[in-house]
Amino acid sequence: MTEIITSMFKDPISLNSGEIVYPQELEDFYTKVAPVKEMCVLTVSGMQGVRKSRVLWAIIQPDLDQFREFGEVNLRAVIKERFDNASQSLPYNKRLKGFTITLEDLPHAPDGELNRPAVKEIYEPRVIAGKEGALPQEELSDEDLLLTRSMIGMRVLKCLKRESRIKRPIRLVDSLELDLGIDSLGRIELTSCLESSFSADLKVETIAKAFSVKDLILEIADALRGAKDIPMEDQGITIGPDYWKENLNVLPKEETLQMIEMTGGFFAWAFRFILTAIDCLIFKLFFNIKAEGAENVPRQGAYILYGNHTSFLDGPAIGASLPRRPGFQIFYFVFGPYFFRPFIKSRVLRNFVKMGRFIPFDFSTHFLEALRSCYFVLGHGKGLCFFPEGLRSVTGEVLEFKKGFGILARETGAKLVPVFIDGAHEAWPSTSKLPRCHPIKVKFGLPLSVEDLEKEGLTMGTQDPYEAICLAARKALVELKKEVRR
């Protein structure tokens, strides 16, 4: 049967082990599980200085339309998560060892077929050198030259230079993420810089549609045609030490406030009571859940429960382990496109989201609004459940924390309570479609002070206070993991 399937493919490549792999077979497999427009699987020789090594690699052109549809800007994180999850179903020798993203079209032969030798010639040296992003740019066309010399182009390039802090000249083909290192939080800061430069109200959604410098200039030019002047007091805003405090201290939009349940009415209380009861019953029956240190959860005042993220079960497991009063008061920060996008227009289901105290977010178009919602909730003395890693860890290890967690913690001054969830990865890893019965243990650590974490983090090699909090908070969570595993 295997011979029949593989005979459909051509251009086989040989691995170090002598096994044969058909690149088109893997390309068809991976493009079905991730927003990829086109990809080329090849072997790369000479990785890490080993000349005779042949590593299975992929050159990927992402489907930017799909990313825009879901309001996602972090190309590498999304593709890596999808690939890591899907690759678990492949034999080890067919799993990619890595990939390189390019926004440019891959070379094709005159008959329209992918020109694999040309792809290898262009990209193999870049892979070995660890380079990603735009290829070296030839001379600009007259149209592109005019674009860079226009008033809009020069101002955009100046803001990008400031936000990216790179020393070389910025090119139109540069990727905002891959070449300039501007992530979802960086786009929020970039939006403020551009608003200041143009004295106009530019929506974050406008910036989120752009993936290259040229895209950004064209999007800004289009947005300025209908932009309204922003209030005088908001003009000239700079990314200073109080930038995030000023931006988070803005009330969420009215439509967002209507989605935040703060009153504690009877129906909302009854809904959470039933939801919590079902949650506890499921985890006791199927996962034999055990909780330790629940007394460390503050009974009043603002606090953030932050835990490791390896499974869809993480949030419900924390909810099933909380004492009753904190359990009814806590809000959950959840990734909106996965949970709410299909039915958020339904008024009934939208009310369920509200009564369940879920704060949906996505990484690009509404991330600042979600952070403001969290700031608003914590400012009213409520609790918040937050997973600082962002995406689920495929390996079960604690990943690096996103900077947004440090921003929210420092600007609110809320107590931070680390929570380690053991067993959820085995019960329902991100690579499985369905859960299975497996014991889960949830351990709550002692509340931590933001000031102490910042001081500790600054001694760990960073000068950014938000990153310092992330580093020290992650260290505390890893130490809590060691206690659970003893």
Side-chain angles (χ1 to χ4, degrees):
M1 182 66 180
T2 303
E3 294 179 358
I4 296 174
I5 294 175
T6 55
S7 66
M8 299 165 54
F9 304 106
K10 55 183 180 179
D11 301 322
I13 52 180
S14 176
L15 305 178
N16 283 341
S17 62
E19 295 174 287
I20 299 298
V21 172
Y22 292 86
Q24 189 181 341
E25 177 188 8
L26 297 181
E27 290 157 7
D28 291 347
F29 173 81
Y30 281 109
T31 52
K32 291 177 181 178
V33 301
V36 173
K37 183 177 181 181
E38 188 174 37
M39 65 184 290
C40 179
V41 172
L42 66 158
T43 54
V44 176
S45 304
M47 292 291 283
Q48 297 179 343
V50 182
R51 292 185 180 181
K52 295 183 179 180
S53 68
R54 285 196 298 271
V55 174
L56 202 60
W57 206 267
I59 309 301
I60 295 171
Q61 181 189 18
D63 188 334
L64 300 183
D65 289 336
Q66 286 193 46
F67 277 92
R68 291 187 181 101
E69 180 182 352
F70 283 91
E72 180 57 78
V73 297
N74 299 315
L75 305 177
R76 170 159 287 279
V78 171
I79 293 175
K80 185 178 187 305
E81 184 194 31
R82 303 284 182 86
F83 278 15
D84 286 347
N85 290 343
S87 65
Q88 302 301 312
S89 63
L90 290 174
Y92 185 78
N93 66 299
K94 292 187 177 182
R95 298 178 187 178
L96 295 174
K97 299 303 183 287
F99 59 86
T100 297
I101 297 175
T102 178
L103 301 186
E104 300 169 71
D105 292 333
L106 299 181
H108 288 76
D111 61 359
E113 290 289 325
L114 190 63
N115 190 337
R116 298 182 185 277
V119 175
K120 188 175 180 69
E121 181 183 357
I122 294 170
Y123 288 98
E124 185 176 37
R126 294 175 63 80
V127 173
I128 296 172
K131 295 181 180 179
E132 192 169 42
L135 295 173
Q137 190 177 20
E138 299 178 357
E139 291 186 8
L140 291 176
S141 66
D142 292 340
E143 181 183 352
D144 286 349
L145 194 60
L146 287 174
L147 196 62
T148 60
R149 293 177 178 176
S150 66
M151 181 271 291
I152 293 177
M154 288 190 293
R155 291 188 182 183
V156 169
L157 291 172
K158 184 177 180 180
C159 284
L160 287 172
K161 190 79 173 179
R162 171 181 172 178
E163 297 307 316
S164 66
R165 299 179 183 177
I166 65 171
K167 296 180 180 180
R168 66 165 176 82
I170 294 176
R171 306 166 298 169
L172 291 180
V173 294
D174 281 340
S175 160
L176 299 183
E177 175 192 1
L178 306 175
D179 291 297
L180 306 185
I182 297 177
D183 58 10
S184 50
L185 276 176
R187 288 180 184 241
I188 295 174
E189 296 174 340
L190 176 61
T191 302
S192 292
C193 181
L194 291 168
E195 285 184 335
S196 171
S197 180
F198 292 105
S199 297
D201 186 7
L202 300 172
K203 304 298 182 185
V204 178
E205 290 88 339
T206 300
I207 314 301
K209 294 178 182 178
F211 289 93
S212 70
V213 173
K214 184 175 181 179
D215 288 344
L216 180 62
I217 295 175
L218 294 175
E219 289 290 345
I220 295 299
D222 186 59
L224 287 175
R225 292 190 184 100
K228 299 178 180 178
D229 292 339
I230 59 175
M232 185 62 67
E233 63 270 17
D234 291 337
Q235 295 183 16
I237 188 170
T238 58
I239 311 300
D242 296 326
Y243 169 78
W244 282 109
K245 171 69 75 175
E246 294 170 356
N247 272 271
L248 293 181
N249 203 27
V250 175
L251 276 178
K253 299 175 183 177
E254 183 61 32
E255 61 191 65
T256 305
L257 287 173
Q258 292 176 2
M259 286 288 293
I260 301 177
E261 199 283 312
M262 299 289 292
T263 60
F266 173 76
F267 288 108
W269 180 91
F271 175 78
R272 286 196 296 278
F273 179 86
I274 295 172
L275 192 65
T276 302
I278 295 173
D279 187 29
C280 291
L281 182 62
I282 290 173
F283 274 85
K284 286 180 180 178
L285 288 177
F286 297 103
F287 304 106
N288 191 28
I289 192 166
K290 304 292 183 185
E292 183 180 342
E295 67 277 3
N296 293 328
V297 180
R299 295 280 174 170
Q300 57 185 5
Y303 63 90
I304 301 175
L305 301 181
Y306 73 94
N308 57 311
H309 198 22
T310 62
S311 169
F312 280 131
L313 297 174
D314 294 331
I318 290 177
S321 305
L322 288 170
R324 178 176 296 179
R325 182 176 176 184
F328 284 2
Q329 294 295 319
I330 199 164
F331 286 75
Y332 294 86
F333 193 56
V334 295
F335 188 37
Y338 283 173
F339 294 95
F340 306 113
R341 188 177 294 276
F343 54 80
I344 198 66
K345 294 181 180 180
S346 167
R347 183 175 180 179
V348 174
L349 293 173
R350 196 164 63 241
N351 284 334
F352 284 155
V353 171
K354 176 180 178 179
M355 291 189 294
R357 290 188 162 172
F358 300 114
I359 299 177
F361 77 98
D362 59 53
F363 286 112
S364 54
T365 55
H366 301 100
F367 194 40
L368 178 58
E369 185 72 1
L371 286 179
R372 285 173 174 167
S373 300
C374 293
Y375 186 89
F376 176 80
V377 163
L378 292 168
H380 284 74
K382 304 296 183 181
L384 179 70
C385 181
F386 197 108
F387 294 105
E389 297 164 274
L391 300 174
R392 290 167 293 159
S393 170
V394 176
T395 62
E397 298 299 316
V398 181
L399 305 178
E400 299 299 319
F401 284 9
K402 302 294 185 183
K403 186 177 176 180
F405 170 74
I407 291 171
L408 193 62
R410 189 172 191 262
E411 300 307 337
T412 59
K415 289 288 185 181
L416 303 182
V417 181
V419 186
F420 185 74
I421 307 154
D422 190 33
H425 178 66
E426 291 75 13
W428 197 359
S430 60
T431 54
S432 298
K433 294 182 179 180
L434 296 172
R436 64 185 182 89
C437 295
H438 189 280
I440 293 178
K441 182 177 181 180
V442 178
K443 181 166 184 177
F444 299 87
L446 294 171
L448 304 172
S449 163
V450 172
E451 292 80 6
D452 292 341
L453 288 175
E454 183 178 337
K455 290 178 183 177
E456 181 181 0
L458 290 174
T459 66
M460 297 170 67
T462 181
Q463 297 181 346
D464 186 305
Y466 304 122
E467 292 179 359
I469 292 169
C470 290
L471 287 173
R474 181 182 179 275
K475 179 183 176 183
L477 185 60
V478 172
E479 291 174 351
L480 189 63
K481 172 184 176 179
K482 293 177 181 177
E483 292 180 16
V484 173
R485 296 285 176 84
R486 282 174 187 167

